[in-house]
Amino acid sequence: MSSTIRTRPLTIVRTATSPAERAERDLAGTSAPGPRATDAPPAPAPPAPPAPPAPPATSTPTAVGAPVDHAALVREHLVTLDPVLRALGDEAEHLRDWGVELAARLGGGARLLAAGNGGSAAEAQHLTSEFVGRFAADRPSFSAISLHAESSAVTAIGNDYGFDQVFARQVRGHGRAGDVLVLLSTSGASTNLIEAAEAAHEIGVTTWALTGPGPNPLSSVCDDAITLPGPSSNVQEAQLIAVHSLCLVFDAEVARTGSTGPDRGGRA
């Protein structure tokens, strides 16, 4: 049995190798193509515009997310406090006189009344607590009342007579001739404190004011006043130092005179 082997026809691809053939092919445009225009490297992209500079940090916020120099806020606050403390230093003799007078009056059986609004109320209560308790060394207790601290009386009087009378009515109830009423205010314009001072005058209670810049309505209506220039917050801070200064003088005078506490025989 014979078999038949089928073969595919062989195709021979002939490549030009002679110089003449290569030249003829180049003239016919059959040479290998050179680089195309589309193959050129792309032009570099233009540089991105520079980012805008970050706004300088400020101590006063201007917008949400704006940088704030918090340390600068503290420094600025202390800078504005300095002239207020210097002004308080100029009142050293004034505070001495108040402290000595308080020691004499409270030792004789008189009472200290005090009042303020908001932060000044806290300062007034700080003052009276130092007299009923003690400031530094141990000593007898003296009578001192913060008029804003009795919440039931404040709300009852406010409800029945109006907020302007919450201190004045208490002055008429607690005060006696020879007592001292200290009123603290950063603005010096609180109507309820002015009304309290006027009520004190009616019954012979001496009035002293610790306020911000003066003259002002409260300092003008009181018997005596220490007015301090400056922003409200700085005035309030200086008032705490004034409160402590009064306590220093008071304690020193009580120790000097050997007071054994208030004379309880003369108070009605």
Side-chain angles (χ1 to χ4, degrees), residues 155-200:
T155 54
I157 296 168
N159 185 63
D160 294 341
Y161 297 94
F163 189 68
D164 290 350
Q165 297 300 314
V166 294
F167 301 139
R169 190 162 179 85
Q170 291 187 76
V171 168
R172 294 186 179 98
H174 294 303
R176 302 291 186 270
D179 289 349
V180 177
L181 172 63
V182 176
L183 300 168
L184 294 93
S185 171
T186 56
S187 69
S190 300
T191 302
N192 56 7
L193 299 180
I194 296 169
E195 293 285 342
E198 292 176 345

mmCIF file of all heavy atoms in Angstrom, residues 155-200:
data_model
loop_
_atom_site.group_PDB
_atom_site.id
_atom_site.type_symbol
_atom_site.label_atom_id
_atom_site.label_comp_id
_atom_site.label_asym_id
_atom_site.label_seq_id
_atom_site.Cartn_x
_atom_site.Cartn_y
_atom_site.Cartn_z
ATOM 1 N N THR A 155 -35.033 86.572 93.911
ATOM 2 C CA THR A 155 -36.088 86.237 92.953
ATOM 3 C C THR A 155 -37.456 86.732 93.411
ATOM 4 O O THR A 155 -38.278 87.150 92.583
ATOM 5 C CB THR A 155 -36.128 84.717 92.715
ATOM 6 O OG1 THR A 155 -36.248 84.034 93.968
ATOM 7 C CG2 THR A 155 -34.875 84.246 91.996
ATOM 8 N N ALA A 156 -37.699 86.708 94.719
ATOM 9 C CA ALA A 156 -38.990 87.210 95.213
ATOM 10 C C ALA A 156 -39.113 88.719 94.990
ATOM 11 O O ALA A 156 -40.139 89.211 94.501
ATOM 12 C CB ALA A 156 -39.142 86.880 96.703
ATOM 13 N N ILE A 157 -38.033 89.456 95.337
ATOM 14 C CA ILE A 157 -38.067 90.912 95.148
ATOM 15 C C ILE A 157 -38.129 91.243 93.671
ATOM 16 O O ILE A 157 -38.878 92.137 93.249
ATOM 17 C CB ILE A 157 -36.842 91.556 95.812
ATOM 18 C CG1 ILE A 157 -36.883 91.341 97.327
ATOM 19 C CG2 ILE A 157 -36.773 93.043 95.492
ATOM 20 C CD1 ILE A 157 -35.588 91.679 98.042
ATOM 21 N N GLY A 158 -37.355 90.514 92.869
ATOM 22 C CA GLY A 158 -37.389 90.764 91.427
ATOM 23 C C GLY A 158 -38.764 90.521 90.843
ATOM 24 O O GLY A 158 -39.219 91.267 89.966
ATOM 25 N N ASN A 159 -39.419 89.482 91.316
ATOM 26 C CA ASN A 159 -40.751 89.152 90.811
ATOM 27 C C ASN A 159 -41.791 90.186 91.244
ATOM 28 O O ASN A 159 -42.668 90.572 90.461
ATOM 29 C CB ASN A 159 -41.155 87.764 91.311
ATOM 30 C CG ASN A 159 -42.470 87.292 90.737
ATOM 31 O OD1 ASN A 159 -42.598 87.117 89.529
ATOM 32 N ND2 ASN A 159 -43.466 87.088 91.597
ATOM 33 N N ASP A 160 -41.694 90.651 92.495
ATOM 34 C CA ASP A 160 -42.723 91.545 93.034
ATOM 35 C C ASP A 160 -42.457 93.025 92.757
ATOM 36 O O ASP A 160 -43.396 93.806 92.598
ATOM 37 C CB ASP A 160 -42.851 91.340 94.551
ATOM 38 C CG ASP A 160 -43.369 89.951 94.903
ATOM 39 O OD1 ASP A 160 -43.954 89.294 94.012
ATOM 40 O OD2 ASP A 160 -43.172 89.516 96.056
ATOM 41 N N TYR A 161 -41.177 93.411 92.737
ATOM 42 C CA TYR A 161 -40.845 94.836 92.645
ATOM 43 C C TYR A 161 -40.008 95.191 91.406
ATOM 44 O O TYR A 161 -39.800 96.370 91.135
ATOM 45 C CB TYR A 161 -40.080 95.279 93.896
ATOM 46 C CG TYR A 161 -40.882 95.145 95.163
ATOM 47 C CD1 TYR A 161 -40.778 93.997 95.957
ATOM 48 C CD2 TYR A 161 -41.753 96.148 95.577
ATOM 49 C CE1 TYR A 161 -41.513 93.859 97.123
ATOM 50 C CE2 TYR A 161 -42.494 96.022 96.746
ATOM 51 C CZ TYR A 161 -42.378 94.870 97.513
ATOM 52 O OH TYR A 161 -43.121 94.740 98.670
ATOM 53 N N GLY A 162 -39.494 94.180 90.704
ATOM 54 C CA GLY A 162 -38.651 94.436 89.536
ATOM 55 C C GLY A 162 -37.178 94.274 89.879
ATOM 56 O O GLY A 162 -36.758 94.459 91.036
ATOM 57 N N PHE A 163 -36.402 93.936 88.857
ATOM 58 C CA PHE A 163 -34.976 93.639 89.059
ATOM 59 C C PHE A 163 -34.205 94.856 89.565
ATOM 60 O O PHE A 163 -33.203 94.717 90.269
ATOM 61 C CB PHE A 163 -34.361 93.131 87.753
ATOM 62 C CG PHE A 163 -32.976 92.594 87.895
ATOM 63 C CD1 PHE A 163 -32.742 91.414 88.595
ATOM 64 C CD2 PHE A 163 -31.888 93.249 87.338
ATOM 65 C CE1 PHE A 163 -31.456 90.901 88.739
ATOM 66 C CE2 PHE A 163 -30.605 92.747 87.468
ATOM 67 C CZ PHE A 163 -30.381 91.573 88.174
ATOM 68 N N ASP A 164 -34.681 96.051 89.255
ATOM 69 C CA ASP A 164 -33.979 97.255 89.709
ATOM 70 C C ASP A 164 -33.981 97.384 91.227
ATOM 71 O O ASP A 164 -33.158 98.106 91.792
ATOM 72 C CB ASP A 164 -34.619 98.504 89.102
ATOM 73 C CG ASP A 164 -34.373 98.618 87.602
ATOM 74 O OD1 ASP A 164 -33.546 97.838 87.083
ATOM 75 O OD2 ASP A 164 -35.009 99.472 86.956
ATOM 76 N N GLN A 165 -34.886 96.676 91.908
ATOM 77 C CA GLN A 165 -35.032 96.832 93.357
ATOM 78 C C GLN A 165 -34.458 95.655 94.160
ATOM 79 O O GLN A 165 -34.604 95.623 95.384
ATOM 80 C CB GLN A 165 -36.520 96.999 93.707
ATOM 81 C CG GLN A 165 -37.153 98.253 93.122
ATOM 82 C CD GLN A 165 -36.464 99.514 93.620
ATOM 83 O OE1 GLN A 165 -36.195 99.652 94.812
ATOM 84 N NE2 GLN A 165 -36.185 100.436 92.715
ATOM 85 N N VAL A 166 -33.808 94.693 93.497
ATOM 86 C CA VAL A 166 -33.396 93.482 94.214
ATOM 87 C C VAL A 166 -32.370 93.776 95.308
ATOM 88 O O VAL A 166 -32.311 93.050 96.317
ATOM 89 C CB VAL A 166 -32.848 92.403 93.240
ATOM 90 C CG1 VAL A 166 -33.951 91.889 92.329
ATOM 91 C CG2 VAL A 166 -31.660 92.922 92.461
ATOM 92 N N PHE A 167 -31.565 94.821 95.165
ATOM 93 C CA PHE A 167 -30.586 95.162 96.188
ATOM 94 C C PHE A 167 -31.096 96.270 97.108
ATOM 95 O O PHE A 167 -30.846 96.253 98.315
ATOM 96 C CB PHE A 167 -29.262 95.573 95.546
ATOM 97 C CG PHE A 167 -28.655 94.511 94.664
ATOM 98 C CD1 PHE A 167 -28.071 94.840 93.455
ATOM 99 C CD2 PHE A 167 -28.663 93.176 95.051
ATOM 100 C CE1 PHE A 167 -27.513 93.864 92.645
ATOM 101 C CE2 PHE A 167 -28.107 92.189 94.257
ATOM 102 C CZ PHE A 167 -27.533 92.536 93.047
ATOM 103 N N ALA A 168 -31.796 97.228 96.547
ATOM 104 C CA ALA A 168 -32.264 98.366 97.346
ATOM 105 C C ALA A 168 -33.159 97.903 98.490
ATOM 106 O O ALA A 168 -33.044 98.389 99.629
ATOM 107 C CB ALA A 168 -33.006 99.353 96.444
ATOM 108 N N ARG A 169 -34.068 96.974 98.213
ATOM 109 C CA ARG A 169 -34.982 96.520 99.269
ATOM 110 C C ARG A 169 -34.225 95.768 100.363
ATOM 111 O O ARG A 169 -34.552 95.874 101.552
ATOM 112 C CB ARG A 169 -36.088 95.659 98.668
ATOM 113 C CG ARG A 169 -37.200 95.360 99.667
ATOM 114 C CD ARG A 169 -38.464 94.902 98.992
ATOM 115 N NE ARG A 169 -39.502 94.610 99.966
ATOM 116 C CZ ARG A 169 -40.333 95.513 100.503
ATOM 117 N NH1 ARG A 169 -40.234 96.789 100.135
ATOM 118 N NH2 ARG A 169 -41.251 95.158 101.378
ATOM 119 N N GLN A 170 -33.207 95.025 99.993
ATOM 120 C CA GLN A 170 -32.397 94.331 100.995
ATOM 121 C C GLN A 170 -31.580 95.311 101.832
ATOM 122 O O GLN A 170 -31.364 95.095 103.036
ATOM 123 C CB GLN A 170 -31.477 93.315 100.319
ATOM 124 C CG GLN A 170 -32.199 92.128 99.714
ATOM 125 C CD GLN A 170 -31.216 91.084 99.215
ATOM 126 O OE1 GLN A 170 -30.633 90.335 100.002
ATOM 127 N NE2 GLN A 170 -31.022 91.029 97.903
ATOM 128 N N VAL A 171 -31.094 96.389 101.204
ATOM 129 C CA VAL A 171 -30.371 97.413 101.965
ATOM 130 C C VAL A 171 -31.275 97.998 103.042
ATOM 131 O O VAL A 171 -30.870 98.163 104.203
ATOM 132 C CB VAL A 171 -29.856 98.518 101.019
ATOM 133 C CG1 VAL A 171 -29.360 99.726 101.818
ATOM 134 C CG2 VAL A 171 -28.733 97.989 100.131
ATOM 135 N N ARG A 172 -32.516 98.264 102.677
ATOM 136 C CA ARG A 172 -33.458 98.819 103.661
ATOM 137 C C ARG A 172 -33.763 97.819 104.777
ATOM 138 O O ARG A 172 -34.028 98.207 105.915
ATOM 139 C CB ARG A 172 -34.746 99.244 102.956
ATOM 140 C CG ARG A 172 -34.559 100.409 101.991
ATOM 141 C CD ARG A 172 -35.900 100.893 101.432
ATOM 142 N NE ARG A 172 -35.704 102.029 100.529
ATOM 143 C CZ ARG A 172 -35.655 101.924 99.203
ATOM 144 N NH1 ARG A 172 -35.784 100.738 98.630
ATOM 145 N NH2 ARG A 172 -35.463 102.990 98.456
ATOM 146 N N GLY A 173 -33.697 96.531 104.454
ATOM 147 C CA GLY A 173 -33.975 95.519 105.462
ATOM 148 C C GLY A 173 -32.784 95.223 106.359
ATOM 149 O O GLY A 173 -32.924 95.098 107.584
ATOM 150 N N HIS A 174 -31.583 95.096 105.774
ATOM 151 C CA HIS A 174 -30.399 94.700 106.545
ATOM 152 C C HIS A 174 -29.605 95.884 107.079
ATOM 153 O O HIS A 174 -28.899 95.749 108.089
ATOM 154 C CB HIS A 174 -29.460 93.850 105.672
ATOM 155 C CG HIS A 174 -30.021 92.533 105.266
ATOM 156 N ND1 HIS A 174 -30.458 91.587 106.163
ATOM 157 C CD2 HIS A 174 -30.202 91.981 104.017
ATOM 158 C CE1 HIS A 174 -30.887 90.509 105.506
ATOM 159 N NE2 HIS A 174 -30.739 90.731 104.209
ATOM 160 N N GLY A 175 -29.653 97.003 106.381
ATOM 161 C CA GLY A 175 -28.757 98.104 106.702
ATOM 162 C C GLY A 175 -29.165 98.891 107.940
ATOM 163 O O GLY A 175 -30.351 99.054 108.232
ATOM 164 N N ARG A 176 -28.156 99.409 108.627
ATOM 165 C CA ARG A 176 -28.336 100.310 109.754
ATOM 166 C C ARG A 176 -27.340 101.459 109.592
ATOM 167 O O ARG A 176 -26.303 101.306 108.947
ATOM 168 C CB ARG A 176 -28.095 99.602 111.095
ATOM 169 C CG ARG A 176 -28.987 98.396 111.344
ATOM 170 C CD ARG A 176 -30.443 98.788 111.571
ATOM 171 N NE ARG A 176 -31.266 97.628 111.940
ATOM 172 C CZ ARG A 176 -31.902 96.858 111.061
ATOM 173 N NH1 ARG A 176 -31.777 97.087 109.755
ATOM 174 N NH2 ARG A 176 -32.654 95.849 111.466
ATOM 175 N N ALA A 177 -27.656 102.571 110.213
ATOM 176 C CA ALA A 177 -26.742 103.704 110.161
ATOM 177 C C ALA A 177 -25.359 103.283 110.655
ATOM 178 O O ALA A 177 -25.238 102.617 111.692
ATOM 179 C CB ALA A 177 -27.288 104.859 111.008
ATOM 180 N N GLY A 178 -24.331 103.643 109.900
ATOM 181 C CA GLY A 178 -22.963 103.275 110.253
ATOM 182 C C GLY A 178 -22.459 102.054 109.506
ATOM 183 O O GLY A 178 -21.251 101.788 109.503
ATOM 184 N N ASP A 179 -23.355 101.293 108.874
ATOM 185 C CA ASP A 179 -22.930 100.165 108.037
ATOM 186 C C ASP A 179 -22.247 100.681 106.773
ATOM 187 O O ASP A 179 -22.351 101.870 106.419
ATOM 188 C CB ASP A 179 -24.122 99.290 107.656
ATOM 189 C CG ASP A 179 -24.676 98.486 108.823
ATOM 190 O OD1 ASP A 179 -24.014 98.439 109.883
ATOM 191 O OD2 ASP A 179 -25.770 97.909 108.674
ATOM 192 N N VAL A 180 -21.569 99.786 106.076
ATOM 193 C CA VAL A 180 -20.895 100.135 104.819
ATOM 194 C C VAL A 180 -21.429 99.230 103.718
ATOM 195 O O VAL A 180 -21.513 98.009 103.894
ATOM 196 C CB VAL A 180 -19.367 99.974 104.932
ATOM 197 C CG1 VAL A 180 -18.696 100.277 103.583
ATOM 198 C CG2 VAL A 180 -18.811 100.888 106.016
ATOM 199 N N LEU A 181 -21.785 99.831 102.592
ATOM 200 C CA LEU A 181 -22.234 99.098 101.408
ATOM 201 C C LEU A 181 -21.192 99.264 100.313
ATOM 202 O O LEU A 181 -20.919 100.394 99.875
ATOM 203 C CB LEU A 181 -23.586 99.640 100.931
ATOM 204 C CG LEU A 181 -24.110 99.109 99.583
ATOM 205 C CD1 LEU A 181 -24.366 97.602 99.652
ATOM 206 C CD2 LEU A 181 -25.379 99.858 99.164
ATOM 207 N N VAL A 182 -20.579 98.149 99.887
ATOM 208 C CA VAL A 182 -19.602 98.166 98.786
ATOM 209 C C VAL A 182 -20.281 97.623 97.538
ATOM 210 O O VAL A 182 -20.815 96.507 97.544
ATOM 211 C CB VAL A 182 -18.361 97.321 99.133
ATOM 212 C CG1 VAL A 182 -17.406 97.265 97.933
ATOM 213 C CG2 VAL A 182 -17.647 97.900 100.346
ATOM 214 N N LEU A 183 -20.257 98.407 96.466
ATOM 215 C CA LEU A 183 -20.910 98.047 95.204
ATOM 216 C C LEU A 183 -19.849 97.913 94.118
ATOM 217 O O LEU A 183 -19.060 98.842 93.896
ATOM 218 C CB LEU A 183 -21.938 99.113 94.820
ATOM 219 C CG LEU A 183 -23.058 99.311 95.845
ATOM 220 C CD1 LEU A 183 -23.860 100.578 95.538
ATOM 221 C CD2 LEU A 183 -23.971 98.094 95.893
ATOM 222 N N LEU A 184 -19.826 96.763 93.458
ATOM 223 C CA LEU A 184 -18.825 96.487 92.430
ATOM 224 C C LEU A 184 -19.487 96.435 91.063
ATOM 225 O O LEU A 184 -20.523 95.780 90.876
ATOM 226 C CB LEU A 184 -18.110 95.169 92.697
ATOM 227 C CG LEU A 184 -17.244 95.126 93.960
ATOM 228 C CD1 LEU A 184 -18.035 94.580 95.134
ATOM 229 C CD2 LEU A 184 -15.988 94.282 93.740
ATOM 230 N N SER A 185 -18.881 97.117 90.095
ATOM 231 C CA SER A 185 -19.419 97.141 88.730
ATOM 232 C C SER A 185 -18.303 97.539 87.778
ATOM 233 O O SER A 185 -17.532 98.453 88.070
ATOM 234 C CB SER A 185 -20.569 98.156 88.641
ATOM 235 O OG SER A 185 -20.978 98.354 87.304
ATOM 236 N N THR A 186 -18.213 96.866 86.645
ATOM 237 C CA THR A 186 -17.222 97.265 85.638
ATOM 238 C C THR A 186 -17.721 98.443 84.809
ATOM 239 O O THR A 186 -16.936 99.273 84.369
ATOM 240 C CB THR A 186 -16.871 96.091 84.713
ATOM 241 O OG1 THR A 186 -18.063 95.584 84.112
ATOM 242 C CG2 THR A 186 -16.197 94.971 85.498
ATOM 243 N N SER A 187 -19.034 98.534 84.616
ATOM 244 C CA SER A 187 -19.588 99.621 83.799
ATOM 245 C C SER A 187 -19.907 100.857 84.617
ATOM 246 O O SER A 187 -19.843 101.982 84.121
ATOM 247 C CB SER A 187 -20.869 99.145 83.100
ATOM 248 O OG SER A 187 -21.915 98.942 84.049
ATOM 249 N N GLY A 188 -20.294 100.652 85.878
ATOM 250 C CA GLY A 188 -20.732 101.777 86.701
ATOM 251 C C GLY A 188 -22.097 102.289 86.304
ATOM 252 O O GLY A 188 -22.464 103.416 86.670
ATOM 253 N N ALA A 189 -22.861 101.489 85.577
ATOM 254 C CA ALA A 189 -24.149 101.962 85.060
ATOM 255 C C ALA A 189 -25.311 101.046 85.421
ATOM 256 O O ALA A 189 -26.409 101.227 84.889
ATOM 257 C CB ALA A 189 -24.065 102.111 83.540
ATOM 258 N N SER A 190 -25.104 100.084 86.317
ATOM 259 C CA SER A 190 -26.166 99.133 86.653
ATOM 260 C C SER A 190 -27.226 99.821 87.512
ATOM 261 O O SER A 190 -26.934 100.298 88.611
ATOM 262 C CB SER A 190 -25.591 97.936 87.412
ATOM 263 O OG SER A 190 -24.626 97.270 86.617
ATOM 264 N N THR A 191 -28.451 99.816 87.014
ATOM 265 C CA THR A 191 -29.522 100.523 87.713
ATOM 266 C C THR A 191 -29.779 99.947 89.094
ATOM 267 O O THR A 191 -30.022 100.693 90.052
ATOM 268 C CB THR A 191 -30.811 100.471 86.874
ATOM 269 O OG1 THR A 191 -30.553 101.046 85.594
ATOM 270 C CG2 THR A 191 -31.933 101.245 87.543
ATOM 271 N N ASN A 192 -29.717 98.625 89.241
ATOM 272 C CA ASN A 192 -30.016 98.039 90.553
ATOM 273 C C ASN A 192 -28.974 98.421 91.598
ATOM 274 O O ASN A 192 -29.286 98.512 92.792
ATOM 275 C CB ASN A 192 -30.198 96.518 90.463
ATOM 276 C CG ASN A 192 -29.017 95.800 89.861
ATOM 277 O OD1 ASN A 192 -27.969 96.391 89.607
ATOM 278 N ND2 ASN A 192 -29.177 94.510 89.609
ATOM 279 N N LEU A 193 -27.733 98.679 91.185
ATOM 280 C CA LEU A 193 -26.711 99.128 92.126
ATOM 281 C C LEU A 193 -26.903 100.601 92.482
ATOM 282 O O LEU A 193 -26.696 101.009 93.635
ATOM 283 C CB LEU A 193 -25.321 98.891 91.545
ATOM 284 C CG LEU A 193 -24.956 97.432 91.233
ATOM 285 C CD1 LEU A 193 -23.553 97.344 90.655
ATOM 286 C CD2 LEU A 193 -25.078 96.552 92.470
ATOM 287 N N ILE A 194 -27.279 101.392 91.493
ATOM 288 C CA ILE A 194 -27.555 102.809 91.753
ATOM 289 C C ILE A 194 -28.729 102.952 92.711
ATOM 290 O O ILE A 194 -28.700 103.758 93.661
ATOM 291 C CB ILE A 194 -27.823 103.547 90.423
ATOM 292 C CG1 ILE A 194 -26.557 103.532 89.550
ATOM 293 C CG2 ILE A 194 -28.296 104.974 90.677
ATOM 294 C CD1 ILE A 194 -26.778 103.998 88.130
ATOM 295 N N GLU A 195 -29.767 102.147 92.511
ATOM 296 C CA GLU A 195 -30.919 102.166 93.417
ATOM 297 C C GLU A 195 -30.509 101.743 94.825
ATOM 298 O O GLU A 195 -31.014 102.286 95.829
ATOM 299 C CB GLU A 195 -32.018 101.233 92.884
ATOM 300 C CG GLU A 195 -32.661 101.699 91.586
ATOM 301 C CD GLU A 195 -33.623 102.857 91.793
ATOM 302 O OE1 GLU A 195 -34.055 103.072 92.944
ATOM 303 O OE2 GLU A 195 -33.933 103.548 90.812
ATOM 304 N N ALA A 196 -29.606 100.789 94.925
ATOM 305 C CA ALA A 196 -29.136 100.344 96.240
ATOM 306 C C ALA A 196 -28.389 101.469 96.946
ATOM 307 O O ALA A 196 -28.546 101.671 98.167
ATOM 308 C CB ALA A 196 -28.244 99.124 96.084
ATOM 309 N N ALA A 197 -27.552 102.208 96.208
ATOM 310 C CA ALA A 197 -26.819 103.318 96.809
ATOM 311 C C ALA A 197 -27.770 104.397 97.312
ATOM 312 O O ALA A 197 -27.586 104.962 98.406
ATOM 313 C CB ALA A 197 -25.842 103.899 95.792
ATOM 314 N N GLU A 198 -28.810 104.687 96.550
ATOM 315 C CA GLU A 198 -29.771 105.707 96.960
ATOM 316 C C GLU A 198 -30.553 105.251 98.194
ATOM 317 O O GLU A 198 -30.833 106.057 99.103
ATOM 318 C CB GLU A 198 -30.694 106.032 95.794
ATOM 319 C CG GLU A 198 -29.955 106.751 94.664
ATOM 320 C CD GLU A 198 -30.827 106.998 93.440
ATOM 321 O OE1 GLU A 198 -31.898 106.362 93.354
ATOM 322 O OE2 GLU A 198 -30.429 107.811 92.592
ATOM 323 N N ALA A 199 -30.884 103.971 98.254
ATOM 324 C CA ALA A 199 -31.564 103.445 99.438
ATOM 325 C C ALA A 199 -30.654 103.537 100.657
ATOM 326 O O ALA A 199 -31.116 103.847 101.775
ATOM 327 C CB ALA A 199 -31.995 102.000 99.193
ATOM 328 N N ALA A 200 -29.358 103.278 100.477
ATOM 329 C CA ALA A 200 -28.406 103.361 101.587
ATOM 330 C C ALA A 200 -28.338 104.772 102.145
ATOM 331 O O ALA A 200 -28.275 104.980 103.373
ATOM 332 C CB ALA A 200 -27.034 102.890 101.125
#
